[in-house]
């Protein structure tokens, strides 16, 4: 019985079935050898939450319960596998919404028990870091990762697999949160990031020079002053073209993110930068990271958009790499809404 925290031997043919339910995406995927995606299914609940202008935790948990079986079945069928063909079962076990996480963790543990396979819980941000490793099979640490999602903005040095140092984080709002709040202000709806991205494409990013808080000040980020600057500008000029506002706001966020990412990589002497998390799907951020890292002589890996927003393939990849350095979680593992980033050295 694989119900305890045992070491599991993983190799190039090890098949990991992973589940992701930390927020409003119900996802399952199968990844072989930590790098090859055999299937990746994502059922988004965005439409259900749009009417409320944001994610409603209870609605998310109930939707996960309804969707999870179908999503897992689809992931197995897309990969041409039965549950018995899976070697390890993984789930994102935090951080995230408690009720939402519990659905994925419980489902993964039940599948592990039935199939008599080891279960491992994976940290959500560690999973976002591994999207780049699925995108580019030649990528190896060290690298500096920028994780930009709805709840977090983090600059992390990945010195080796499982060895992370948090170099910078937001002191107030997350980048995705700023996109969502400004989208609401412009009356665009939810989720705001993709809507700002689309609207900004027809706007002038130089129309307004919004503040870049703390741009020359360390590795941490602050977005709440920028959000307030957009609010004040809107109040003063209610008829200003929303596309120009969106483009100028996006330009300020991207400027902050890319400046700090490249600066810290140079300071650390690390020549590869990667991005991950929902905001990494942003067109302007992707273009600027590609362009500016080339100019700075740094290698960059930008995952496909479907790997940036929440998905289970990244959870499977992170699970495989984590099992190389530590034991499985075992069936006693729970869900932790404020889980800290696991690391082999103190960060
Ligand atoms: O990583 P993610 O899917 O879920 C969390 O872990 O939070 O990130 C969701 C965030 C939301 O704030 C959403 O508005 C933002 O990512 N986002 C974007 C884009 N696509 C998603 N932000 C800017 N541009 C986008 N294209
Ligand atoms: Zn995420």
């Amino acid at each position: 019985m694989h119900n305890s925290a045992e070491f599991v031997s993983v190799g190039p043919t090890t098949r990991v079935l992973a589940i992701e339910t930390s927020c409003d995406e119900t996802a399952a995927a199968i990844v072989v050898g930590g790098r090859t995606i055999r299937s990746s299914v994502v059922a988004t609940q965005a439409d259900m939450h749009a009417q409320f202008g944001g994610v409603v935790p209870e609605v998310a948990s109930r939707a996960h319960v309804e969707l999870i079986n179908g999503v897992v079945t689809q992931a197995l069928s897309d990969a041409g596998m039965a549950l018995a063909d899976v070697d390890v079962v993984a789930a994102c076990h935090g951080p995230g919404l408690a009720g939402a996480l519990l659905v994925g963790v419980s489902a993964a543990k039940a599948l592990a028990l039935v199939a008599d396979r080891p279960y491992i819980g994976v940290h959500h941000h560690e999973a976002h870091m591994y999207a780049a490793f699925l995108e580019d099979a030649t990528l190896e640490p060290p690298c500096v990762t920028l994780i930009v999602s709805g709840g977090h903005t983090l600059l992390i040095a990945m010195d080796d697999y499982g060895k992370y140092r948090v170099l910078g984080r937001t002191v107030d709002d997350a980048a995705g949160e700023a996109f969502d709040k400004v989208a609401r202000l412009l009356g665009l709806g939810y989720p705001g990031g993709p809507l700002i991205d689309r609207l900004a494409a027809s706007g002038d990013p130089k129309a307004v020079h919004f503040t870049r808080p703390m741009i020359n000040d360390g590795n941490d980020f602050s977005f709440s002053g920028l959000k307030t600057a957009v609010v004040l500008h809107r109040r003063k000029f209610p008829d200003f073209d929303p596309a120009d506002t969106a483009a100028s706001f996006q330009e300020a966020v991207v400027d902050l993110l890319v400046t700090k990412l490249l600066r810290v990589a140079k300071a650390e002497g690390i020549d590869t930068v990667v991005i991950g998390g929902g905001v990494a799907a942003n067109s302007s951020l992707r273009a600027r990271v590609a362009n500016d890292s080339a100019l700075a002589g740094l290698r960059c890996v930008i995952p496909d958009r479907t790997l940036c927003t929440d998905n289970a393939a990244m959870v499977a990849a992170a699970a495989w790499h984590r099992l190389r350095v530590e034991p499985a979680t075992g069936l006693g593992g729970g869900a932790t809404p404020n889980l800290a980033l696991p690391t082999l050295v103190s960060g």
Side-chain angles (χ1 to χ4, degrees), residues 124 128 149 310:
H124 189 73
H128 273 307
S149 69
D310 286 350

Side-chain angles (χ1 to χ4, degrees), residues 20 22-23 124-125 128 147-151 277-278 308-311 314:
E20 157 64 48
S22 65
C23 192
H124 189 73
H125 303 145
H128 273 307
I147 300 296
V148 268
S149 69
C308 292
T309 46
D310 286 350
N311 66 88
M314 65 182 193

